Amino acid sequence: MKVMLARGMTFPYASELLKSLFVEVADRDFRLDGKVPTDSRVSLVSGVHRKEVSRLREVLESGEESVPEVISLGAQVVAQWMGAAPYVDEGGHPRPLARFASEGAELSFEALVARVNRDIRPRVVLDEWLRLGVVEIDEDGRIRLHAGAFVPSKGFDEMSFYFGHNVHDHAAAAAHNLLGGEPPFMERSVHYDGLSADAVAQLARQASTLGMEALVAVNKNALSLTKRGGTTSLPRQRMTFGVYFYAEASDEAAAEAPPAVSKAVAAKPPGRPSRKKA
């Protein structure tokens, strides 16, 4: 809500967006015998008026997720930079790269971009990434990956894409488990209350380090599996693996409680929502 209001998204706009989501999900996920539902059935399931259903279904015809071009190319380039030889060092960290192939041969930004797409100029990618804060140029003129993963720090459109993508997939995994889907998705967390600011800062650093190690390891394996490829008659699938950390001030009661009263709670196994005692 805070993001919506900050970007000028009013209630009427949000209401229209929510209405279209109800129609989209009712159309896609509540079919009988796999048949495309009529406007009347979508209206019945969603509660949206039939005339509105007809209008919104026309708008939602494609149903494709729109990925900004800089995201599509950038994600592929960073995946190579973080998971493929010779772009990672012995510790698995992305190496700083020379700008031109004439300076660093294969270990250059120019060669890295060409490895993914030869139709786009590396200079264009570099200028955009410098603008977004994804890379930086060090004192030796080498290009360093500034973000641990391709999450632009300045471009709102690019950040919005990841915001929507990550929130959707996290919520979808939780909804799958809540509805008893099998097999359940991994969806767990650890949460404490009544910690000091210093303790939270220490935990944030630990979470960042361990989280990035996990992301880099999964990325490296996924890249290897992608290269292995192979033909299959089964439908293709996509996946998302993510980590997050959040902290805020406790309420007054929790803040006044002694540290010994603070509690740590690990989430219940996937698919089993926690229950609070009355």
Side-chain angles (χ1 to χ4, degrees), residues 53-261:
V53 168
S54 178
R55 177 181 65 83
L56 291 170
R57 290 179 90 177
E58 290 180 5
V59 176
L60 296 168
E61 263 183 6
S62 65
E64 293 293 329
E65 186 176 40
S66 178
V67 182
E69 185 176 355
V70 67
I71 295 290
S72 180
L73 173 66
Q76 295 179 62
V77 174
V78 171
Q80 294 284 335
W81 199 347
M82 294 183 65
Y87 301 108
V88 291
D89 60 23
E90 294 77 8
H93 306 294
R95 299 178 185 272
L97 303 177
R99 181 167 178 174
F100 303 106
S102 58
E103 301 172 346
E106 191 175 6
L107 278 177
S108 67
F109 188 77
E110 190 174 61
L112 174 62
V113 174
R115 185 169 182 169
V116 174
N117 189 327
R118 293 183 175 276
D119 295 329
I120 190 165
R121 294 169 57 195
R123 171 62 184 272
V124 174
V125 179
L126 178 59
D127 287 347
E128 180 67 3
W129 281 14
L130 287 171
R131 180 185 74 83
L132 295 175
V134 175
V135 296
E136 60 184 4
I137 299 178
D138 64 18
E139 296 178 352
D140 298 322
R142 297 179 302 177
I143 301 171
R144 293 180 177 273
L145 187 62
H146 184 64
F150 188 71
V151 180
S153 59
K154 296 180 182 178
F156 185 79
D157 288 344
E158 292 82 3
M159 293 177 69
S160 295
F161 168 77
Y162 275 110
F163 175 82
H165 178 278
N166 294 340
V167 169
H168 170 274
D169 284 5
H170 190 170
H176 171 87
N177 295 342
L178 191 62
L179 294 173
E182 292 291 342
F185 288 114
M186 180 186 71
E187 205 274 318
R188 294 189 170 197
S189 67
V190 174
H191 46 100
Y192 275 70
D193 200 355
L195 294 170
S196 68
D198 289 342
V200 170
Q202 179 180 337
L203 291 169
R205 290 191 296 270
Q206 181 187 25
S208 179
T209 299
L210 296 178
M212 279 309 307
E213 289 177 358
L215 289 171
V216 169
V218 171
N219 172 71
K220 188 173 183 179
N221 192 31
L223 188 61
S224 174
L225 293 171
T226 299
K227 288 181 177 179
R228 192 181 307 171
T231 58
T232 175
S233 59
L234 297 176
R236 294 288 181 176
Q237 297 186 0
R238 71 176 186 87
M239 56 76 67
T240 296
F241 170 66
V243 295
Y244 69 94
F245 183 93
Y246 179 73
E248 66 177 0
S250 302
D251 57 38
E252 293 183 2
E256 294 173 357
V261 179

Side-chain angles (χ1 to χ4, degrees), residues 16-31:
E16 179 74 4
L17 181 62
L18 186 60
K19 194 187 301 180
S20 69
L21 288 174
F22 267 79
V23 170
E24 182 180 6
V25 174
D27 185 349
R28 184 189 63 213
D29 297 337
F30 289 84
R31 299 186 173 188

